[in-house]
Amino acid sequence: MTRPVVFFLSDYGLADEFVGVVHAVLLRLLPDAAVVDLTHGIPAFDVRAGAESLARAVPHLGPGVVLGVVDPGVGSARRGIAVRAADGRWFVAPDNGLAVPAAEASGGVDAVLALRKPEDAPPTFDGRDVFAPAAAALASGRAPASVGDEVDPGALVRLPPLETTRREEDGRVRLRAPVTWVDRFGNVQLGVPELDGPPPATVRLALRIAGEERAARRVRSFSELDDGELGVLADANGRLAVVVREGSAAGVTGLETGGDVELIW
């Protein structure tokens, strides 16, 4: 038999015992489970960063239950939920938009459960007391009704869509896009996919935070860039990214998640 798998993402970090405790609960309830840590480095309380990370990861995950905990509303009236995607995968998370993009990337939302919370559970650690037990139960194959009650998928909390603008002015195209992720190498991912009609080899970047334009080159890989040169490429997730060969584009440009950049060609 295939071992049950739980894919685990959170903003817990590794300085405290939180991740280890959730692992322990999962393994106590489901001793033969394999727990795959996707990341616990999501910035604290940053639901969109967690949602983006799950959506990037989910096309590469095999069968299993996805457990996501980025929960600034813990202890409030927000619901705990389990979302079943059209491919049959369950996503266990707070109802704050964290799991929806990944579920939609898995074929769409098929059903939603509102999780039951034990009456004696404290209001500050639902990852341990609500989400981990629900994930273990669903990974074990128990009936969904054992962990929650089915609710209207249309009532799910969804994150606002990312805003991009594209316009032509003075013979140039201007595409403004949000920065959705800066990875540990300093690559700056933008909230737009690879362009259908890619711009010519040279793309000029106007950094909104500095009000200046910086020259960059349109490339397919890091190796095409000279040392220290800014480039724009389609990354491994099909998004446009601002990069530097063997360097940090974020460090060179000052761009951060939540900012935006304008591509001009």
Side-chain angles (χ1 to χ4, degrees), residues 34-116:
V35 182
V36 177
D37 293 296
L38 297 176
T39 181
H40 301 293
I42 300 300
F45 315 122
D46 192 336
V47 176
R48 185 177 291 279
E52 289 276 337
S53 185
L54 279 180
R56 288 192 301 268
V58 75
H60 312 287
L61 306 183
V65 172
V66 178
L67 170 60
V69 187
V70 181
D71 194 14
V74 64
S76 71
R78 72 96 187 93
R79 300 181 299 183
I81 54 170
V83 178
R84 187 178 66 213
D87 66 359
R89 183 183 286 118
W90 283 100
F91 296 83
V92 176
D95 185 14
N96 58 12
L98 176 64
V100 175
E104 290 178 338
S106 301
V109 174
D110 186 52
V112 180
L113 302 175
L115 301 178
R116 302 186 193 98

Side-chain angles (χ1 to χ4, degrees), residues 3-6 20-35 67 92 116 118 125-142 146-147:
R3 293 176 66 189
V5 180
V6 177
V21 167
V22 172
H23 271 255
V25 171
L26 289 168
L27 295 174
R28 173 168 54 81
L29 297 173
L30 194 59
D32 60 339
V35 182
L67 170 60
V92 176
R116 302 186 193 98
F125 199 174
D126 283 359
R128 176 193 67 192
D129 301 321
V130 179
F131 301 133
L138 293 169
S140 72
R142 284 174 54 188
S146 67
V147 299

